[in-house]
PDB file of all heavy atoms in Angstrom:
ATOM      1  N   ALA A   1     113.238 153.573  41.346  1.00 88.00           N
ATOM      2  CA  ALA A   1     113.259 153.793  42.811  1.00 88.00           C
ATOM      3  C   ALA A   1     114.263 154.899  43.164  1.00 88.00           C
ATOM      4  O   ALA A   1     113.968 155.748  44.028  1.00 88.00           O
ATOM      5  CB  ALA A   1     113.674 152.487  43.502  1.00 88.00           C
ATOM      6  N   GLN A   2     115.410 154.885  42.482  1.00 91.00           N
ATOM      7  CA  GLN A   2     116.401 155.949  42.704  1.00 91.00           C
ATOM      8  C   GLN A   2     115.867 157.344  42.296  1.00 91.00           C
ATOM      9  O   GLN A   2     116.065 158.339  43.013  1.00 91.00           O
ATOM     10  CB  GLN A   2     117.695 155.654  41.954  1.00 91.00           C
ATOM     11  CG  GLN A   2     118.845 156.598  42.305  1.00 91.00           C
ATOM     12  CD  GLN A   2     120.129 156.180  41.590  1.00 91.00           C
ATOM     13  OE1 GLN A   2     120.127 155.283  40.739  1.00 91.00           O
ATOM     14  NE2 GLN A   2     121.238 156.846  41.943  1.00 91.00           N
ATOM     15  N   ALA A   3     115.167 157.378  41.175  1.00 90.00           N
ATOM     16  CA  ALA A   3     114.577 158.654  40.716  1.00 90.00           C
ATOM     17  C   ALA A   3     113.494 159.142  41.647  1.00 90.00           C
ATOM     18  O   ALA A   3     113.408 160.344  41.950  1.00 90.00           O
ATOM     19  CB  ALA A   3     114.020 158.475  39.312  1.00 90.00           C
ATOM     20  N   LEU A   4     112.681 158.239  42.173  1.00 90.00           N
ATOM     21  CA  LEU A   4     111.648 158.616  43.138  1.00 90.00           C
ATOM     22  C   LEU A   4     112.276 159.229  44.410  1.00 90.00           C
ATOM     23  O   LEU A   4     111.823 160.231  44.925  1.00 90.00           O
ATOM     24  CB  LEU A   4     110.785 157.409  43.533  1.00 90.00           C
ATOM     25  CG  LEU A   4     109.818 156.931  42.462  1.00 90.00           C
ATOM     26  CD1 LEU A   4     109.187 155.596  42.943  1.00 90.00           C
ATOM     27  CD2 LEU A   4     108.741 157.936  42.199  1.00 90.00           C
ATOM     28  N   ALA A   5     113.320 158.602  44.869  1.00 90.00           N
ATOM     29  CA  ALA A   5     114.036 159.070  46.065  1.00 90.00           C
ATOM     30  C   ALA A   5     114.611 160.462  45.884  1.00 90.00           C
ATOM     31  O   ALA A   5     114.597 161.261  46.802  1.00 90.00           O
ATOM     32  CB  ALA A   5     115.101 158.083  46.477  1.00 90.00           C
ATOM     33  N   SER A   6     115.069 160.745  44.672  1.00 89.00           N
ATOM     34  CA  SER A   6     115.697 162.051  44.434  1.00 89.00           C
ATOM     35  C   SER A   6     114.714 163.161  44.124  1.00 89.00           C
ATOM     36  O   SER A   6     114.950 164.316  44.424  1.00 89.00           O
ATOM     37  CB  SER A   6     116.724 161.923  43.291  1.00 89.00           C
ATOM     38  OG  SER A   6     116.050 161.597  42.086  1.00 89.00           O
ATOM     39  N   LYS A   7     113.557 162.792  43.543  1.00 87.00           N
ATOM     40  CA  LYS A   7     112.601 163.841  43.077  1.00 87.00           C
ATOM     41  C   LYS A   7     111.493 164.105  44.081  1.00 87.00           C
ATOM     42  O   LYS A   7     110.886 165.195  44.042  1.00 87.00           O
ATOM     43  CB  LYS A   7     112.020 163.425  41.756  1.00 87.00           C
ATOM     44  CG  LYS A   7     113.027 163.375  40.616  1.00 87.00           C
ATOM     45  CD  LYS A   7     112.346 163.120  39.268  1.00 87.00           C
ATOM     46  CE  LYS A   7     113.394 163.111  38.146  1.00 87.00           C
ATOM     47  NZ  LYS A   7     112.756 162.977  36.776  1.00 87.00           N
ATOM     48  N   LEU A   8     111.194 163.193  44.977  1.00 88.00           N
ATOM     49  CA  LEU A   8     110.109 163.373  45.900  1.00 88.00           C
ATOM     50  C   LEU A   8     110.536 164.240  47.072  1.00 88.00           C
ATOM     51  O   LEU A   8     111.659 164.064  47.583  1.00 88.00           O
ATOM     52  CB  LEU A   8     109.576 162.048  46.423  1.00 88.00           C
ATOM     53  CG  LEU A   8     108.647 161.260  45.505  1.00 88.00           C
ATOM     54  CD1 LEU A   8     108.345 159.877  46.115  1.00 88.00           C
ATOM     55  CD2 LEU A   8     107.333 162.039  45.245  1.00 88.00           C
ATOM     56  N   PRO A   9     109.699 165.136  47.575  1.00 86.00           N
ATOM     57  CA  PRO A   9     110.018 165.921  48.778  1.00 86.00           C
ATOM     58  C   PRO A   9     110.122 164.985  49.985  1.00 86.00           C
ATOM     59  O   PRO A   9     109.562 163.903  50.003  1.00 86.00           O
ATOM     60  CB  PRO A   9     108.808 166.836  48.929  1.00 86.00           C
ATOM     61  CG  PRO A   9     108.141 166.904  47.588  1.00 86.00           C
ATOM     62  CD  PRO A   9     108.410 165.553  46.941  1.00 86.00           C
ATOM     63  N   ALA A  10     110.878 165.430  50.994  1.00 83.00           N
ATOM     64  CA  ALA A  10     111.039 164.617  52.172  1.00 83.00           C
ATOM     65  C   ALA A  10     109.683 164.391  52.864  1.00 83.00           C
ATOM     66  O   ALA A  10     108.860 165.304  52.905  1.00 83.00           O
ATOM     67  CB  ALA A  10     111.996 165.335  53.136  1.00 83.00           C
ATOM     68  N   GLY A  11     109.462 163.187  53.308  1.00 84.00           N
ATOM     69  CA  GLY A  11     108.199 162.875  54.015  1.00 84.00           C
ATOM     70  C   GLY A  11     107.121 162.310  53.156  1.00 84.00           C
ATOM     71  O   GLY A  11     106.098 161.866  53.713  1.00 84.00           O
ATOM     72  N   VAL A  12     107.281 162.335  51.822  1.00 88.00           N
ATOM     73  CA  VAL A  12     106.273 161.738  50.966  1.00 88.00           C
ATOM     74  C   VAL A  12     106.482 160.255  50.909  1.00 88.00           C
ATOM     75  O   VAL A  12     107.529 159.768  50.449  1.00 88.00           O
ATOM     76  CB  VAL A  12     106.317 162.359  49.534  1.00 88.00           C
ATOM     77  CG1 VAL A  12     105.283 161.645  48.620  1.00 88.00           C
ATOM     78  CG2 VAL A  12     106.015 163.833  49.598  1.00 88.00           C
ATOM     79  N   PRO A  13     105.538 159.417  51.361  1.00 89.00           N
ATOM     80  CA  PRO A  13     105.759 157.977  51.416  1.00 89.00           C
ATOM     81  C   PRO A  13     105.681 157.324  50.028  1.00 89.00           C
ATOM     82  O   PRO A  13     104.873 157.747  49.158  1.00 89.00           O
ATOM     83  CB  PRO A  13     104.627 157.479  52.334  1.00 89.00           C
ATOM     84  CG  PRO A  13     103.552 158.479  52.155  1.00 89.00           C
ATOM     85  CD  PRO A  13     104.215 159.812  51.906  1.00 89.00           C
ATOM     86  N   VAL A  14     106.457 156.279  49.827  1.00 90.00           N
ATOM     87  CA  VAL A  14     106.407 155.420  48.639  1.00 90.00           C
ATOM     88  C   VAL A  14     106.068 154.021  49.098  1.00 90.00           C
ATOM     89  O   VAL A  14     106.821 153.407  49.847  1.00 90.00           O
ATOM     90  CB  VAL A  14     107.720 155.452  47.892  1.00 90.00           C
ATOM     91  CG1 VAL A  14     107.641 154.507  46.663  1.00 90.00           C
ATOM     92  CG2 VAL A  14     108.087 156.865  47.408  1.00 90.00           C
ATOM     93  N   LEU A  15     104.924 153.519  48.665  1.00 92.00           N
ATOM     94  CA  LEU A  15     104.449 152.152  49.023  1.00 92.00           C
ATOM     95  C   LEU A  15     104.785 151.219  47.883  1.00 92.00           C
ATOM     96  O   LEU A  15     104.359 151.415  46.740  1.00 92.00           O
ATOM     97  CB  LEU A  15     102.962 152.144  49.310  1.00 92.00           C
ATOM     98  CG  LEU A  15     102.464 152.661  50.676  1.00 92.00           C
ATOM     99  CD1 LEU A  15     102.641 154.156  50.778  1.00 92.00           C
ATOM    100  CD2 LEU A  15     101.013 152.252  50.881  1.00 92.00           C
ATOM    101  N   ASP A  16     105.534 150.168  48.172  1.00 91.00           N
ATOM    102  CA  ASP A  16     105.837 149.159  47.193  1.00 91.00           C
ATOM    103  C   ASP A  16     104.656 148.181  47.105  1.00 91.00           C
ATOM    104  O   ASP A  16     104.274 147.529  48.085  1.00 91.00           O
ATOM    105  CB  ASP A  16     107.107 148.386  47.585  1.00 91.00           C
ATOM    106  CG  ASP A  16     108.352 149.214  47.332  1.00 91.00           C
ATOM    107  OD1 ASP A  16     108.638 149.627  46.197  1.00 91.00           O
ATOM    108  OD2 ASP A  16     109.070 149.531  48.331  1.00 91.00           O
ATOM    109  N   ILE A  17     104.060 148.120  45.905  1.00 91.00           N
ATOM    110  CA  ILE A  17     102.914 147.254  45.680  1.00 91.00           C
ATOM    111  C   ILE A  17     103.232 146.252  44.575  1.00 91.00           C
ATOM    112  O   ILE A  17     103.689 146.615  43.506  1.00 91.00           O
ATOM    113  CB  ILE A  17     101.670 148.079  45.216  1.00 91.00           C
ATOM    114  CG1 ILE A  17     101.455 149.280  46.147  1.00 91.00           C
ATOM    115  CG2 ILE A  17     100.418 147.206  45.141  1.00 91.00           C
ATOM    116  CD1 ILE A  17     101.117 148.920  47.565  1.00 91.00           C
ATOM    117  N   TRP A  18     103.042 144.953  44.914  1.00 91.00           N
ATOM    118  CA  TRP A  18     103.311 143.896  43.960  1.00 91.00           C
ATOM    119  C   TRP A  18     102.003 143.390  43.370  1.00 91.00           C
ATOM    120  O   TRP A  18     101.173 142.842  44.089  1.00 91.00           O
ATOM    121  CB  TRP A  18     104.078 142.755  44.627  1.00 91.00           C
ATOM    122  CG  TRP A  18     105.472 143.128  45.060  1.00 91.00           C
ATOM    123  CD1 TRP A  18     105.838 143.660  46.282  1.00 91.00           C
ATOM    124  CD2 TRP A  18     106.662 143.045  44.266  1.00 91.00           C
ATOM    125  NE1 TRP A  18     107.190 143.916  46.265  1.00 91.00           N
ATOM    126  CE2 TRP A  18     107.707 143.539  45.066  1.00 91.00           C
ATOM    127  CE3 TRP A  18     106.913 142.566  42.976  1.00 91.00           C
ATOM    128  CZ2 TRP A  18     109.006 143.570  44.590  1.00 91.00           C
ATOM    129  CZ3 TRP A  18     108.251 142.612  42.537  1.00 91.00           C
ATOM    130  CH2 TRP A  18     109.275 143.120  43.323  1.00 91.00           C
ATOM    131  N   ASN A  19     101.830 143.641  42.092  1.00 89.00           N
ATOM    132  CA  ASN A  19     100.548 143.259  41.415  1.00 89.00           C
ATOM    133  C   ASN A  19     100.663 141.877  40.762  1.00 89.00           C
ATOM    134  O   ASN A  19     101.727 141.351  40.565  1.00 89.00           O
ATOM    135  CB  ASN A  19     100.247 144.336  40.367  1.00 89.00           C
ATOM    136  CG  ASN A  19      98.846 144.170  39.796  1.00 89.00           C
ATOM    137  OD1 ASN A  19      97.956 143.662  40.462  1.00 89.00           O
ATOM    138  ND2 ASN A  19      98.644 144.561  38.551  1.00 89.00           N
ATOM    139  N   LYS A  20      99.479 141.341  40.460  1.00 88.00           N
ATOM    140  CA  LYS A  20      99.311 140.047  39.779  1.00 88.00           C
ATOM    141  C   LYS A  20      99.554 138.896  40.724  1.00 88.00           C
ATOM    142  O   LYS A  20     100.148 137.877  40.400  1.00 88.00           O
ATOM    143  CB  LYS A  20     100.184 139.945  38.516  1.00 88.00           C
ATOM    144  CG  LYS A  20      99.949 141.143  37.542  1.00 88.00           C
ATOM    145  CD  LYS A  20     100.802 141.014  36.284  1.00 88.00           C
ATOM    146  CE  LYS A  20     100.598 142.217  35.394  1.00 88.00           C
ATOM    147  NZ  LYS A  20     101.419 142.172  34.162  1.00 88.00           N
ATOM    148  N   GLN A  21      99.059 139.102  41.970  1.00 87.00           N
ATOM    149  CA  GLN A  21      99.166 138.030  42.981  1.00 87.00           C
ATOM    150  C   GLN A  21      98.435 136.778  42.540  1.00 87.00           C
ATOM    151  O   GLN A  21      98.814 135.679  42.960  1.00 87.00           O
ATOM    152  CB  GLN A  21      98.570 138.527  44.299  1.00 87.00           C
ATOM    153  CG  GLN A  21      98.680 137.544  45.457  1.00 87.00           C
ATOM    154  CD  GLN A  21      97.928 138.005  46.670  1.00 87.00           C
ATOM    155  OE1 GLN A  21      97.111 138.946  46.592  1.00 87.00           O
ATOM    156  NE2 GLN A  21      98.191 137.405  47.813  1.00 87.00           N
ATOM    157  N   ASP A  22      97.427 136.914  41.684  1.00 84.00           N
ATOM    158  CA  ASP A  22      96.642 135.774  41.245  1.00 84.00           C
ATOM    159  C   ASP A  22      97.469 134.807  40.437  1.00 84.00           C
ATOM    160  O   ASP A  22      97.057 133.616  40.286  1.00 84.00           O
ATOM    161  CB  ASP A  22      95.419 136.225  40.435  1.00 84.00           C
ATOM    162  CG  ASP A  22      95.815 137.154  39.311  1.00 84.00           C
ATOM    163  OD1 ASP A  22      96.409 138.230  39.582  1.00 84.00           O
ATOM    164  OD2 ASP A  22      95.500 136.870  38.134  1.00 84.00           O
ATOM    165  N   VAL A  23      98.588 135.220  39.878  1.00 80.00           N
ATOM    166  CA  VAL A  23      99.441 134.323  39.121  1.00 80.00           C
ATOM    167  C   VAL A  23     100.807 134.135  39.780  1.00 80.00           C
ATOM    168  O   VAL A  23     101.807 133.805  39.089  1.00 80.00           O
ATOM    169  CB  VAL A  23      99.571 134.790  37.640  1.00 80.00           C
ATOM    170  CG1 VAL A  23      98.239 134.691  36.913  1.00 80.00           C
ATOM    171  CG2 VAL A  23     100.112 136.226  37.601  1.00 80.00           C
ATOM    172  N   LEU A  24     100.874 134.411  41.057  1.00 74.00           N
ATOM    173  CA  LEU A  24     102.173 134.327  41.771  1.00 74.00           C
ATOM    174  C   LEU A  24     102.643 132.875  41.808  1.00 74.00           C
ATOM    175  O   LEU A  24     101.919 131.915  42.130  1.00 74.00           O
ATOM    176  CB  LEU A  24     101.990 134.847  43.203  1.00 74.00           C
ATOM    177  CG  LEU A  24     103.213 134.664  44.097  1.00 74.00           C
ATOM    178  CD1 LEU A  24     104.405 135.494  43.607  1.00 74.00           C
ATOM    179  CD2 LEU A  24     102.849 135.082  45.519  1.00 74.00           C
ATOM    180  N   THR A  25     103.906 132.728  41.444  1.00 66.00           N
ATOM    181  CA  THR A  25     104.591 131.412  41.580  1.00 66.00           C
ATOM    182  C   THR A  25     105.917 131.668  42.305  1.00 66.00           C
ATOM    183  O   THR A  25     106.556 132.681  42.135  1.00 66.00           O
ATOM    184  CB  THR A  25     104.879 130.791  40.196  1.00 66.00           C
ATOM    185  OG1 THR A  25     105.652 131.688  39.427  1.00 66.00           O
ATOM    186  CG2 THR A  25     103.568 130.508  39.457  1.00 66.00           C
ATOM    187  N   GLY A  26     106.269 130.738  43.104  1.00 67.00           N
ATOM    188  CA  GLY A  26     107.519 130.866  43.841  1.00 67.00           C
ATOM    189  C   GLY A  26     107.359 131.671  45.118  1.00 67.00           C
ATOM    190  O   GLY A  26     106.242 131.895  45.592  1.00 67.00           O
ATOM    191  N   GLU A  27     108.467 132.123  45.653  1.00 74.00           N
ATOM    192  CA  GLU A  27     108.435 132.871  46.911  1.00 74.00           C
ATOM    193  C   GLU A  27     107.856 134.261  46.751  1.00 74.00           C
ATOM    194  O   GLU A  27     108.041 134.868  45.694  1.00 74.00           O
ATOM    195  CB  GLU A  27     109.850 132.972  47.497  1.00 74.00           C
ATOM    196  CG  GLU A  27     110.468 131.647  47.902  1.00 74.00           C
ATOM    197  CD  GLU A  27     111.833 131.836  48.492  1.00 74.00           C
ATOM    198  OE1 GLU A  27     112.253 133.023  48.682  1.00 74.00           O
ATOM    199  OE2 GLU A  27     112.518 130.790  48.795  1.00 74.00           O
ATOM    200  N   ARG A  28     107.207 134.726  47.777  1.00 77.00           N
ATOM    201  CA  ARG A  28     106.640 136.088  47.754  1.00 77.00           C
ATOM    202  C   ARG A  28     107.749 137.062  48.063  1.00 77.00           C
ATOM    203  O   ARG A  28     108.748 136.735  48.761  1.00 77.00           O
ATOM    204  CB  ARG A  28     105.479 136.206  48.733  1.00 77.00           C
ATOM    205  CG  ARG A  28     105.835 135.944  50.169  1.00 77.00           C
ATOM    206  CD  ARG A  28     104.650 136.249  51.092  1.00 77.00           C
ATOM    207  NE  ARG A  28     104.399 137.686  51.126  1.00 77.00           N
ATOM    208  CZ  ARG A  28     103.232 138.241  51.444  1.00 77.00           C
ATOM    209  NH1 ARG A  28     102.210 137.475  51.735  1.00 77.00           N
ATOM    210  NH2 ARG A  28     103.081 139.549  51.470  1.00 77.00           N
ATOM    211  N   PRO A  29     107.661 138.329  47.644  1.00 80.00           N
ATOM    212  CA  PRO A  29     108.657 139.327  47.966  1.00 80.00           C
ATOM    213  C   PRO A  29     108.814 139.549  49.479  1.00 80.00           C
ATOM    214  O   PRO A  29     107.850 139.366  50.220  1.00 80.00           O
ATOM    215  CB  PRO A  29     108.141 140.588  47.257  1.00 80.00           C
ATOM    216  CG  PRO A  29     107.226 140.078  46.197  1.00 80.00           C
ATOM    217  CD  PRO A  29     106.598 138.821  46.766  1.00 80.00           C
ATOM    218  N   ALA A  30     109.985 139.953  49.867  1.00 75.00           N
ATOM    219  CA  ALA A  30     110.266 140.161  51.290  1.00 75.00           C
ATOM    220  C   ALA A  30     109.532 141.346  51.847  1.00 75.00           C
ATOM    221  O   ALA A  30     109.203 141.404  53.050  1.00 75.00           O
ATOM    222  CB  ALA A  30     111.765 140.256  51.529  1.00 75.00           C
ATOM    223  N   ALA A  31     109.298 142.355  51.037  1.00 80.00           N
ATOM    224  CA  ALA A  31     108.664 143.585  51.509  1.00 80.00           C
ATOM    225  C   ALA A  31     107.623 144.049  50.498  1.00 80.00           C
ATOM    226  O   ALA A  31     107.669 143.697  49.311  1.00 80.00           O
ATOM    227  CB  ALA A  31     109.705 144.685  51.673  1.00 80.00           C
ATOM    228  N   GLY A  32     106.672 144.812  50.982  1.00 86.00           N
ATOM    229  CA  GLY A  32     105.628 145.342  50.129  1.00 86.00           C
ATOM    230  C   GLY A  32     104.329 144.619  50.253  1.00 86.00           C
ATOM    231  O   GLY A  32     104.254 143.527  50.809  1.00 86.00           O
ATOM    232  N   LEU A  33     103.254 145.213  49.686  1.00 90.00           N
ATOM    233  CA  LEU A  33     101.956 144.630  49.712  1.00 90.00           C
ATOM    234  C   LEU A  33     101.685 143.841  48.424  1.00 90.00           C
ATOM    235  O   LEU A  33     102.047 144.292  47.330  1.00 90.00           O
ATOM    236  CB  LEU A  33     100.885 145.727  49.835  1.00 90.00           C
ATOM    237  CG  LEU A  33     100.764 146.397  51.234  1.00 90.00           C
ATOM    238  CD1 LEU A  33      99.795 147.574  51.129  1.00 90.00           C
ATOM    239  CD2 LEU A  33     100.324 145.407  52.268  1.00 90.00           C
ATOM    240  N   LEU A  34     101.044 142.683  48.532  1.00 91.00           N
ATOM    241  CA  LEU A  34     100.680 141.901  47.377  1.00 91.00           C
ATOM    242  C   LEU A  34      99.213 142.113  47.030  1.00 91.00           C
ATOM    243  O   LEU A  34      98.349 142.077  47.948  1.00 91.00           O
ATOM    244  CB  LEU A  34     100.896 140.402  47.645  1.00 91.00           C
ATOM    245  CG  LEU A  34     102.298 139.842  47.284  1.00 91.00           C
ATOM    246  CD1 LEU A  34     103.345 140.485  48.148  1.00 91.00           C
ATOM    247  CD2 LEU A  34     102.315 138.322  47.443  1.00 91.00           C
ATOM    248  N   VAL A  35      98.933 142.452  45.801  1.00 89.00           N
ATOM    249  CA  VAL A  35      97.549 142.667  45.375  1.00 89.00           C
ATOM    250  C   VAL A  35      97.326 141.986  44.041  1.00 89.00           C
ATOM    251  O   VAL A  35      98.262 141.601  43.341  1.00 89.00           O
ATOM    252  CB  VAL A  35      97.227 144.165  45.215  1.00 89.00           C
ATOM    253  CG1 VAL A  35      97.454 144.930  46.545  1.00 89.00           C
ATOM    254  CG2 VAL A  35      97.990 144.800  44.096  1.00 89.00           C
ATOM    255  N   SER A  36      96.038 141.869  43.711  1.00 89.00           N
ATOM    256  CA  SER A  36      95.651 141.461  42.364  1.00 89.00           C
ATOM    257  C   SER A  36      94.577 142.454  41.892  1.00 89.00           C
ATOM    258  O   SER A  36      93.470 142.388  42.397  1.00 89.00           O
ATOM    259  CB  SER A  36      95.108 140.012  42.386  1.00 89.00           C
ATOM    260  OG  SER A  36      94.536 139.736  41.101  1.00 89.00           O
ATOM    261  N   ALA A  37      94.944 143.289  40.955  1.00 87.00           N
ATOM    262  CA  ALA A  37      93.968 144.228  40.377  1.00 87.00           C
ATOM    263  C   ALA A  37      92.869 143.469  39.652  1.00 87.00           C
ATOM    264  O   ALA A  37      91.765 143.921  39.512  1.00 87.00           O
ATOM    265  CB  ALA A  37      94.672 145.223  39.469  1.00 87.00           C
ATOM    266  N   LYS A  38      93.186 142.263  39.217  1.00 87.00           N
ATOM    267  CA  LYS A  38      92.224 141.428  38.433  1.00 87.00           C
ATOM    268  C   LYS A  38      91.142 140.835  39.353  1.00 87.00           C
ATOM    269  O   LYS A  38      89.951 140.899  39.065  1.00 87.00           O
ATOM    270  CB  LYS A  38      92.947 140.341  37.652  1.00 87.00           C
ATOM    271  CG  LYS A  38      92.064 139.496  36.798  1.00 87.00           C
ATOM    272  CD  LYS A  38      92.875 138.492  36.003  1.00 87.00           C
ATOM    273  CE  LYS A  38      91.982 137.615  35.131  1.00 87.00           C
ATOM    274  NZ  LYS A  38      92.784 136.612  34.352  1.00 87.00           N
ATOM    275  N   THR A  39      91.575 140.267  40.456  1.00 89.00           N
ATOM    276  CA  THR A  39      90.620 139.586  41.367  1.00 89.00           C
ATOM    277  C   THR A  39      90.197 140.464  42.553  1.00 89.00           C
ATOM    278  O   THR A  39      89.223 140.128  43.239  1.00 89.00           O
ATOM    279  CB  THR A  39      91.214 138.285  41.911  1.00 89.00           C
ATOM    280  OG1 THR A  39      92.327 138.578  42.762  1.00 89.00           O
ATOM    281  CG2 THR A  39      91.699 137.408  40.763  1.00 89.00           C
ATOM    282  N   GLY A  40      90.950 141.498  42.872  1.00 89.00           N
ATOM    283  CA  GLY A  40      90.630 142.347  44.034  1.00 89.00           C
ATOM    284  C   GLY A  40      91.326 141.881  45.278  1.00 89.00           C
ATOM    285  O   GLY A  40      91.180 142.521  46.333  1.00 89.00           O
ATOM    286  N   SER A  41      92.107 140.816  45.207  1.00 90.00           N
ATOM    287  CA  SER A  41      92.800 140.352  46.406  1.00 90.00           C
ATOM    288  C   SER A  41      93.803 141.402  46.866  1.00 90.00           C
ATOM    289  O   SER A  41      94.567 141.991  46.054  1.00 90.00           O
ATOM    290  CB  SER A  41      93.522 139.035  46.072  1.00 90.00           C
ATOM    291  OG  SER A  41      94.349 138.617  47.111  1.00 90.00           O
ATOM    292  N   GLY A  42      93.846 141.628  48.166  1.00 89.00           N
ATOM    293  CA  GLY A  42      94.799 142.568  48.775  1.00 89.00           C
ATOM    294  C   GLY A  42      94.414 144.039  48.678  1.00 89.00           C
ATOM    295  O   GLY A  42      95.117 144.887  49.264  1.00 89.00           O
ATOM    296  N   LEU A  43      93.300 144.351  48.045  1.00 90.00           N
ATOM    297  CA  LEU A  43      92.917 145.771  47.867  1.00 90.00           C
ATOM    298  C   LEU A  43      92.496 146.378  49.199  1.00 90.00           C
ATOM    299  O   LEU A  43      92.757 147.560  49.447  1.00 90.00           O
ATOM    300  CB  LEU A  43      91.777 145.921  46.833  1.00 90.00           C
ATOM    301  CG  LEU A  43      92.154 145.642  45.376  1.00 90.00           C
ATOM    302  CD1 LEU A  43      90.984 145.995  44.483  1.00 90.00           C
ATOM    303  CD2 LEU A  43      93.384 146.475  44.955  1.00 90.00           C
ATOM    304  N   GLN A  44      91.845 145.618  50.072  1.00 92.00           N
ATOM    305  CA  GLN A  44      91.443 146.167  51.359  1.00 92.00           C
ATOM    306  C   GLN A  44      92.648 146.527  52.198  1.00 92.00           C
ATOM    307  O   GLN A  44      92.683 147.562  52.876  1.00 92.00           O
ATOM    308  CB  GLN A  44      90.533 145.178  52.088  1.00 92.00           C
ATOM    309  CG  GLN A  44      89.969 145.683  53.406  1.00 92.00           C
ATOM    310  CD  GLN A  44      89.165 146.994  53.232  1.00 92.00           C
ATOM    311  OE1 GLN A  44      88.556 147.241  52.156  1.00 92.00           O
ATOM    312  NE2 GLN A  44      89.147 147.815  54.237  1.00 92.00           N
ATOM    313  N   ALA A  45      93.692 145.665  52.172  1.00 92.00           N
ATOM    314  CA  ALA A  45      94.935 145.960  52.892  1.00 92.00           C
ATOM    315  C   ALA A  45      95.582 147.209  52.317  1.00 92.00           C
ATOM    316  O   ALA A  45      96.125 148.025  53.055  1.00 92.00           O
ATOM    317  CB  ALA A  45      95.881 144.765  52.844  1.00 92.00           C
ATOM    318  N   LEU A  46      95.473 147.370  51.006  1.00 90.00           N
ATOM    319  CA  LEU A  46      96.040 148.589  50.383  1.00 90.00           C
ATOM    320  C   LEU A  46      95.292 149.808  50.807  1.00 90.00           C
ATOM    321  O   LEU A  46      95.922 150.876  51.114  1.00 90.00           O
ATOM    322  CB  LEU A  46      95.999 148.422  48.855  1.00 90.00           C
ATOM    323  CG  LEU A  46      96.392 149.641  48.030  1.00 90.00           C
ATOM    324  CD1 LEU A  46      97.802 150.136  48.390  1.00 90.00           C
ATOM    325  CD2 LEU A  46      96.295 149.334  46.533  1.00 90.00           C
TER     326      LEU A  46
END
């Protein structure tokens, strides 16, 4: 994350994507999109 912030030009967005939602246990992350590349869940929101 620190390297992305230093190397990317200003204005280039970084989207935090959490994969493997199909096996999620416990609390979901406070920020970012949840997806499952395996089942396709969350891909439309992405």
Side-chain angles (χ1 to χ4, degrees):
Q2 186 176 8
L4 288 172
S6 63
K7 294 187 179 184
L8 281 174
V12 176
V14 177
L15 280 70
D16 287 299
I17 311 297
W18 293 90
N19 189 28
K20 306 181 183 179
Q21 183 188 15
D22 52 302
V23 292
L24 174 64
T25 57
E27 295 183 3
R28 59 173 292 157
L33 288 173
L34 270 64
V35 302
S36 170
K38 183 177 180 180
T39 67
S41 174
L43 290 186
Q44 185 57 29
L46 173 56

